């Protein structure tokens, strides 16, 4: 079965609004978590062409690298460390306009300038985070937060 993504031009909101039904379609009837995480990252990368987009998943007291698109990345992040570990510890989305100004930022790629990290919840517990990196300063805003939170919300049932 062909699984071609329709790429939307235009403003960011239109891009997310075209992409989200397609992500729902890709996930429909598929209960394998890794398959769904893989397609979510691929769809986001294809639509937005960010430097890096991927998941880290909770494994005891660490986050472990999970499906992603982009350059190779660090594999383990402790709770409270970096942007990802801080988002996990606090249970909130973090938008970092300039990664060099975030104390303890973990530089997986020197090309990353700004970042958004969104926690993933299942049954009220944080099970992972979605991390997105851009080569541009201050690339992410409340629009990204709203739509990325909606996208990771699709994982609640898995
Ligand atoms: N910058 C992240 C680490 C993960 S990479 O960006 C892929 C952080 O500070 O947690």
């Amino acid at each position: 079965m062909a699984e071609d993504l329709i790429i939307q031009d235009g403003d960011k909101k239109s891009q997310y609004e075209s992409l989200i039904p397609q992500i729902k379609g890709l996930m429909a009837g598929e209960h394998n978590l890794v398959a769904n995480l893989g397609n979510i990252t691929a769809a986001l990368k294809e639509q937005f062409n960010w430097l890096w987009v991927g998941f880290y998943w909770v494994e005891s007291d660490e986050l472990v690298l999970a499906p992603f698109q982009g350059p190779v990345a660090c594999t383990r992040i402790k709770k409270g460390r970096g942007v990802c570990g801080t988002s996990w510890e606090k249970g909130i989305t973090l938008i970092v306009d300039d990664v060099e100004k975030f104390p303890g930022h973990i530089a997986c790629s020197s090309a990353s300038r700004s970042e958004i990290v969104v926690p993933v919840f299942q049954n009220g517990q944080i099970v992972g985070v979605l991390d997105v990196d851009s080569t541009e300063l201050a690339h992410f805003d409340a629009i990204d937060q709203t739509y990325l939170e909606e996208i990771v919300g699709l994982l609640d049932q898995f």
Side-chain angles (χ1 to χ4, degrees), residues 23-75:
I23 289 176
K24 286 181 182 166
L26 289 165
M27 293 173 68
E30 178 50 73
H31 296 290
N32 182 280
L33 180 65
V34 173
N36 285 317
L37 297 185
N39 261 344
I40 289 172
T41 60
L44 286 166
K45 175 77 171 166
E46 229 183 309
Q47 174 65 57
F48 293 104
N49 199 26
W50 294 314
L51 172 67
W52 198 91
V53 50
F55 289 93
Y56 281 90
W57 222 246
V58 172
E59 197 178 284
S60 64
D61 66 338
E62 292 179 318
L63 292 168
V64 182
L65 186 62
F68 71 97
Q69 299 273 315
V72 294
C74 36
T75 56

Side-chain angles (χ1 to χ4, degrees), residues 73-95:
C74 36
T75 56
R76 286 173 188 270
I77 298 172
K78 292 273 186 207
K79 196 170 199 173
R81 293 290 185 83
V83 187
C84 292
T86 306
S87 170
W88 175 25
E89 185 171 55
K90 295 189 170 169
I92 54 167
T93 296
L94 292 177
I95 295 173

